């Protein structure tokens, strides 16, 4: 995944600000597949755009944020083209002088398609996916501008025809 673009922050009050971001994304999913597994005719690579608008409030100890986003992806396989949007919220607290705790939640809705599969009731024009994400993160600042973090994300995806699944992603950096 490659994501590039500007993210601008505008201060609107001493403790409040707006965030505006525009991003171009490139997914190269084929390179992450097992080389011994046949991929068939499904090329999952895609490019897309993201637009994000958010509001942030920070008093030095507690910070809160709300974002809304719009996304559109164009895939090599038309059935994986997607358009959608989401909303998210984050709350962070300075637990100790250099330790920050963060809780976040978001919900996304995306439509994929047009599907190329013919079903018993004819072609399915699109399929809808709803995704929720919950994050718990710890960040420890080791020096000005440098931090070590650990985060755990629970991602639940609900799709058509019982295509539901959950992922638990543990990240560190």
């Amino acid at each position: 995944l490659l994501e590039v673009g500007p993210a601008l922050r505008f201060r609107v009050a001493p403790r409040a600000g707006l965030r505006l971001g525009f991003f171009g994304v490139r997914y190269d999913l084929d390179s992450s597949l097992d080389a011994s597994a046949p991929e068939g005719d499904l090329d999952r690579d895609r490019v897309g755009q993201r637009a994000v608008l958010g509001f942030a409030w920070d008093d030095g100890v507690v910070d809160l944020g709300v974002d809304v986003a719009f996304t559109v992806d164009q895939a090599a396989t038309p059935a994986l083209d997607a358009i959608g949007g989401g909303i998210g919220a984050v709350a962070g607290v300075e637990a100790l002088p250099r330790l920050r705790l963060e809780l976040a939640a978001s919900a996304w809705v995306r439509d994929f398609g047009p599907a190329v599969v013919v079903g018993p009731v004819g072609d399915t024009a699109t399929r809808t996916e709803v995704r929720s994400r919950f994050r718990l993160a710890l960040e420890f600042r080791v020096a000005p501008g440098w931090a070590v973090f650990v985060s755990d994300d629970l991602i639940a995806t609900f799709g058509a025809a019982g295509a539901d699944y959950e992922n638990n992603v543990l990240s560190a950096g």
Side-chain angles (χ1 to χ4, degrees), residues 136-148:
L136 173 63
L138 287 173
E139 178 183 281
F140 181 71
R141 286 183 302 287
V142 294
W146 292 90
V148 175

Side-chain angles (χ1 to χ4, degrees), residues 42 75-82 111-117 127:
L42 184 63
T77 300
L80 298 177
D81 288 351
D111 274 335
F112 292 88
V116 293
V117 177
R127 65 189 190 288

Side-chain angles (χ1 to χ4, degrees), residues 66 68 72 75 85-86 92 94 127 133 143 146 152 159 173:
V66 175
V68 293
V72 61
E94 197 77 19
R127 65 189 190 288
R133 182 177 198 152
W146 292 90
D152 189 26

Side-chain angles (χ1 to χ4, degrees), residues 14-38:
R15 295 182 179 165
L18 292 175
R19 296 186 299 246
L20 181 61
F22 298 98
F23 306 97
V25 295
R26 167 82 168 105
Y27 294 90
D28 185 5
L29 298 173
D30 300 326
S31 64
S32 65
L33 295 175
D34 180 359
S36 65

Side-chain angles (χ1 to χ4, degrees), residues 46-69:
R46 62 185 188 268
V47 296
Q49 297 82 38
R50 309 283 182 269
V52 180
L53 176 64
F55 175 79
W57 179 82
D58 187 351
D59 73 357
V61 176
V62 175
D63 58 271
L64 304 169
V66 175
D67 293 316
V68 293

Side-chain angles (χ1 to χ4, degrees), residues 70-157:
F70 173 76
T71 179
V72 61
D73 289 332
Q74 300 248 322
T77 300
L80 298 177
D81 288 351
I83 188 168
I87 186 166
V90 62
V93 64
E94 197 77 19
L96 295 172
R98 296 192 302 174
L99 183 68
R100 181 175 183 273
L101 173 66
E102 179 181 286
L103 296 169
S106 65
W108 285 85
V109 176
R110 294 189 298 177
D111 274 335
F112 292 88
V116 293
V117 177
V118 176
V121 294
D123 291 343
T124 304
T126 61
R127 65 189 190 288
T128 301
E129 172 187 274
V130 177
R131 178 176 288 189
S132 62
R133 182 177 198 152
F134 299 95
R135 168 182 279 177
L136 173 63
L138 287 173
E139 178 183 281
F140 181 71
R141 286 183 302 287
V142 294
W146 292 90
V148 175
F149 76 92
V150 174
S151 71
D152 189 26
D153 291 69
L154 175 63
I155 304 166
T157 303

